[in-house]
Amino acid sequence: MEIALMLVVFIYGLVFGSFFNVVGLRVPKGESILRPPSHCTVCDRNLSARDLVPVFSYVFLKGKCRGCGTKIHWVYPVMELVTGLLFAFAFAQLGFSKEFIVAILLTSLLVIITVSDIAYMLIPDKILLFFLIPLVGARILAPLTPWWDSILGAVIGFSVLFLIAVLSKGGMGGGDIKLFFVIGLVLGTVSTLLTLFLASIIGTIFGIISLRIAKKGRKTPIPFGPSIAIAAVISYFYGGSLVDWYMNLFF
């Protein structure tokens, strides 16, 4: 029964992942998420239902538009699959609990800002503000221990990133700073600092890989949002275990 429920949650995750792609790509441009309907950005052909089945349509169409043959960006199927897996994993870890609501809201936010940051190097305030209110409500229903750790985490998350931005003279984007405020609210102080540490490592790895595959002499900006998202997911589910392992190893 639990496996069947997990499969249902996974399918819902795929569907929401498809919608999150639309949100992440349209909101930064100030476009409606409802109109126009999903279409090919090259030939402007409206997509039919069979073109919009998450992940599977991409596979069946061999990654190309049915109308003009233009390659479909890999972000679409990857983020759909990631959302489905995150939803299913959250259910496996938390079941249908109050904390499950927190997990779904957090992972949804992280998927959307990842799409947005990859596409435009931008984390829109509208998206952060939209998720802030329900996340505050979810954290009231499922508080951290102690409850004030959410407030402290939000303040520290924002302050540390703001300080880095000031010292680096713009080396940290405003969207990243505000995102850490929201992450701090959800994760609390220790896990927020762990997220920053892990995000720095992940971002460095991405940077090295990017330099390896980039054309000689060409510098390509690397969005930090995806690194933050990966680190936040790790910290949310495994932060306590990682901190305990570190303390037992060195102290």
Side-chain angles (χ1 to χ4, degrees), residues 37-198:
S38 297
H39 59 282
C40 174
T41 56
V42 177
C43 67
D44 209 33
R45 169 182 170 273
N46 286 344
L47 303 183
S48 63
R50 60 177 178 171
D51 298 320
L52 295 172
V53 180
V55 180
F56 295 102
S57 288
Y58 182 87
V59 174
F60 294 148
L61 293 172
K62 298 180 180 179
K64 296 180 181 180
C65 171
R66 190 189 302 275
C68 64
T70 301
K71 287 186 177 180
I72 301 171
H73 202 287
W74 58 265
V75 165
Y76 290 97
V78 168
M79 299 316 297
E80 290 167 354
L81 183 59
V82 165
T83 307
L85 291 173
L86 286 175
F87 276 31
F89 184 75
F91 173 75
Q93 296 294 311
L94 305 168
F96 288 127
S97 62
K98 294 177 181 177
E99 189 62 34
F100 178 68
I101 299 174
V102 177
I104 292 300
L105 288 171
L106 177 63
T107 53
S108 298
L109 168 62
L110 295 176
V111 168
I112 293 173
I113 65 97
T114 295
V115 172
S116 175
D117 212 22
I118 289 175
Y120 309 112
M121 294 284 292
L122 178 67
I123 300 176
D125 291 344
K126 287 183 179 180
I127 293 174
L128 295 174
L129 289 173
F130 178 85
F131 278 93
L132 178 60
I133 295 175
L135 278 170
V136 169
R139 260 293 163 248
I140 292 174
L141 292 175
L144 296 175
T145 304
W147 65 266
W148 47 260
D149 195 31
S150 287
I151 300 174
L152 184 60
V155 172
I156 288 180
F158 180 89
S159 300
V160 170
L161 268 291
F162 181 77
L163 181 61
I164 293 174
V166 172
L167 295 177
S168 63
K169 298 180 179 180
M172 186 67 63
D176 298 330
I177 299 171
K178 297 164 191 171
L179 175 60
F180 258 93
F181 177 87
V182 180
I183 289 174
L185 177 75
V186 177
L187 301 186
T189 309
V190 175
S191 290
T192 297
L193 294 175
L194 177 61
T195 298
L196 178 58
F197 173 72
L198 293 176

